[in-house]
Amino acid sequence: QVQLVESGGGSVQAGGSLRLSCAAFGYTFSRYYMGWFRQAPGKEREGVAGIDSEGRTRYADSVKGRFTISRDNAKRNLYLQMNSLNPEDTAMYFCAASTFRVAMLSPGSYNYWGQGTQVTVSS
């Protein structure tokens, strides 16, 4: 019933920007906690940014000041604006949702996931 679909990934040179989008279907979007996570080859999935039902946000230290998470409840979309990208940001990025209060940057706290979109940053 709940479906999340990411888009906006691609290849960019270091210092460039990308904006990821996540379209949500089949649930009351405004009441869900939402998050962006990423996973690089050989590494564990890590939390990038989270946003709760009231619009409060939290960021991983590695992206703070460079990435911005936002949500448009009317459009049922989640966004991640990524600026000043560097090669360490290269990963598969996933959109996630939770029907209950969660630790916002903890992957195990979320119960719905998108299929992912690849972000590649070259030096």
Side-chain angles (χ1 to χ4, degrees), residues 26-53:
Y27 66 101
T28 306
F29 179 82
S30 62
R31 297 185 179 182
Y32 279 56
Y33 278 52
M34 303 292 295
W36 287 100
F37 299 81
R38 66 187 183 186
Q39 187 167 22
K43 297 183 178 180
E44 294 185 350
R45 187 170 298 185
E46 63 176 344
V48 175
I51 185 167
D52 68 14
S53 59

Side-chain angles (χ1 to χ4, degrees), residues 18-29:
L18 286 172
R19 189 173 85 150
L20 306 183
S21 298
C22 173
F25 305 91
Y27 66 101
T28 306
F29 179 82

Side-chain angles (χ1 to χ4, degrees), residues 38-98:
R38 66 187 183 186
Q39 187 167 22
K43 297 183 178 180
E44 294 185 350
R45 187 170 298 185
E46 63 176 344
V48 175
I51 185 167
D52 68 14
S53 59
E54 298 179 359
R56 294 176 295 187
T57 60
R58 185 176 179 183
Y59 298 92
D61 289 341
S62 60
V63 307
K64 193 173 299 181
R66 300 188 297 122
F67 291 10
T68 302
I69 188 172
S70 61
R71 64 194 298 166
D72 186 328
N73 291 336
K75 296 181 179 179
R76 300 174 62 84
N77 277 358
L78 177 74
Y79 306 98
L80 183 67
Q81 179 66 47
M82 305 185 294
N83 298 326
S84 301
L85 287 162
N86 58 64
E88 288 69 38
D89 296 316
T90 295
M92 184 73 73
Y93 282 71
F94 298 88
C95 171
S98 176

